[in-house]
Amino acid sequence: MNEVALPQLEDKHGRRFEYLRLSLTDVCNFRCSYCLPDGYRKAKGVPANLTVDEIRRLVSAFAELGLWKVRLTGGEPTLRREFQEIAAAVSGISGVRKIAVTTNGYRLAERAQSYADAGISAINISMDSLKPARFRAITGHDRLDEILRGIEACRAAGIGSIKLNAVLLKGLNDDELDDFTAFVVAHDLALRFIEVMRTNDNPEYFNAHHLPGIYVANRLEALGWQRQARQAGAGPAIDYANPHGPGRIGIIAPYSKDFCASCNRLRVSATGKLHLCLFGDAGIDLRPLLQRDDQRAELIERLHRLVATKAPAHLLHQGNSGATPHLASIGG
Ligand code: SAM
Ligand code: SF4
């Protein structure tokens, strides 16, 4: 136990990192057209996923450096056999105050209670359309109804934060803006529109379907929704509230000016590679330092050194998506 608090993780641009996005697997059972349109294919020679003990050592070191929020992601994180064991292990780490998961909603209705029991207090559920046929066309699965039942199951299980993620897609769901808005109002929910991001695998798709987040902002403002002041330490989303009742809508617009200035997150892949940016280089292998509890001091020192080198901004505007083939490889 350290008696003296260690300095927090901070880079040379004054950004502090209190939020880890941890991928548990790059396997996914969906075929989202912007992510894995041909479904998951196992690449040759990929190392095994981090074990529960390796994850515990990793997150404990981050927590000692002031990180308090962990999001479990993937691929589809809930496909990991040890998903609940991992969530419970992370929630037991001193300093971790919030465990979130991002899921495609697979079997959510029947599993929500077990997620809550494992300590998950926040869930983001991907839902790109409210129309069953479109949902199927975008994700390859006829599971919209399962998601809708899953949302109710999350509420019944007492999961405090339930958010929907919808990737904004020109020509595929941009005509559903008002339907989504009515849905979050009727169900008292929060939803985030995410601009589709260009990755190494999807440049044509990106060119065909990218729509700037300002399209959503303009519509919300026309409906009288109010842009919220950015809270200290908040991430890069632009948030709107409905002044007439419940419902919140956020916009994640990575192509907008200054998006990277408020970056507060770090990422670790399922095999233990630290990614300082979603669109950065191949990632730095932390696994050799996750093998024994007595490597903790060395791991902490390495994290400090690496985080200090984080680049000020991504190079997406120059058409450079770094080494990221698709977001299932890092967790979005
Ligand atoms: N499988 C889970 C899911 O879909 O929620 C978690 C992993 S997924 C990579 C995390 C988030 O990234 C999802 O909300 C997904 O819609 C989003 N995403 C994936 N590829 C994207 C892309 N090219 N542009 C924008 N968002 C993307
Ligand atoms: Fe799977 Fe999520 Fe990618 Fe869809 S966005 S293919 S659910 S990892």
Side-chain angles (χ1 to χ4, degrees):
M1 249 300 175
N2 269 16
E3 307 237 321
V4 182
L6 292 168
Q8 286 204 321
L9 282 173
E10 192 169 335
D11 70 8
K12 292 194 177 119
H13 313 283
R15 294 174 297 191
R16 289 217 166 155
F17 299 96
E18 300 178 329
Y19 174 20
L20 174 67
R21 295 181 68 101
L22 175 63
S23 175
L24 300 187
T25 176
D26 60 0
V27 174
C28 190
N29 52 344
F30 276 30
R31 296 187 298 277
C32 298
S33 49
Y34 44 78
C35 182
L36 293 174
D38 302 319
Y40 170 75
R41 290 186 186 157
K42 191 171 167 46
K44 280 199 188 123
V46 178
N49 292 327
L50 291 182
T51 64
V52 182
D53 276 343
E54 288 171 327
I55 289 173
R56 188 179 40 74
R57 291 186 190 112
L58 174 83
V59 177
S60 304
F62 272 114
E64 203 166 323
L65 294 169
L67 188 135
W68 57 268
K69 175 176 171 185
V70 179
R71 177 173 300 281
L72 306 177
T73 179
E76 176 49 35
T78 64
L79 293 183
R80 206 41 214 263
R81 221 174 337 113
E82 312 93 327
F83 177 72
Q84 270 130 261
E85 193 189 340
I86 292 168
V90 172
S91 76
I93 291 170
S94 165
V96 174
R97 303 205 299 270
K98 186 167 179 179
I99 304 193
V101 61
T102 301
T103 175
N104 61 23
Y106 177 64
R107 297 179 72 181
L108 183 56
E110 64 197 81
R111 292 181 173 176
Q113 186 62 56
S114 67
Y115 298 168
D117 293 345
I120 288 169
S121 58
I123 190 158
N124 285 34
I125 308 161
S126 295
M127 192 176 82
D128 297 331
S129 175
L130 287 163
K131 299 180 192 293
R134 276 194 189 175
F135 181 92
R136 188 177 60 239
I138 295 172
T139 65
H141 277 264
D142 202 359
R143 291 186 178 269
L144 179 60
D145 182 57
E146 182 172 52
I147 289 181
L148 298 175
R149 287 185 291 109
I151 293 170
E152 293 316 313
C154 288
R155 275 196 217 276
I159 295 180
S161 165
I162 306 170
K163 287 186 183 160
L164 304 176
N165 283 352
V167 179
L168 182 63
L169 298 167
K170 183 165 69 183
L172 297 179
N173 66 6
D174 55 331
D175 59 345
E176 288 189 58
L177 226 57
D178 287 1
D179 293 346
F180 274 120
T181 306
F183 184 86
V184 298
V185 171
H187 296 267
D188 188 6
L189 281 167
L191 178 142
R192 284 188 163 175
F193 285 106
I194 308 173
E195 277 186 20
V196 67
M197 300 172 210
R198 180 190 164 120
T199 60
N200 286 341
D201 284 1
N202 76 3
E204 291 88 15
Y205 188 97
F206 173 83
N207 289 337
H209 299 296
H210 178 256
L211 194 60
I214 187 78
Y215 173 81
V216 176
N218 287 343
R219 182 64 192 146
L220 291 175
E221 285 174 19
L223 292 172
W225 284 50
Q226 286 166 358
R227 184 166 171 163
Q228 303 299 289
R230 185 182 284 284
Q231 305 286 315
I238 301 162
D239 283 314
Y240 280 83
N242 171 16
H244 315 297
R248 282 180 90 93
I249 294 186
I251 303 168
I252 309 233
Y255 295 85
S256 64
K257 192 171 157 292
D258 291 338
F259 178 78
C260 300
S262 53
C263 184
N264 62 353
R265 56 207 59 200
L266 296 167
R267 295 174 168 85
V268 173
S269 75
T271 60
K273 293 210 162 65
L274 175 68
H275 291 264
L276 296 171
C277 175
L278 185 51
F279 301 103
D281 296 332
I284 307 138
D285 197 6
L286 298 175
R287 193 164 211 166
L289 294 177
L290 300 176
Q291 300 314 304
R292 300 186 317 272
D293 291 343
D294 65 6
Q295 293 174 297
R296 187 182 182 88
E298 201 184 336
L299 174 60
I300 284 178
E301 193 270 328
R302 185 116 204 266
L303 289 175
H304 261 301
R305 230 171 348 104
L306 292 171
V307 168
T309 67
K310 183 170 156 82
H314 60 58
L315 300 174
L316 283 177
H317 301 93
Q318 298 164 26
N320 181 342
S321 319
T324 307
H326 44 70
L327 296 197
S329 64
I330 304 187

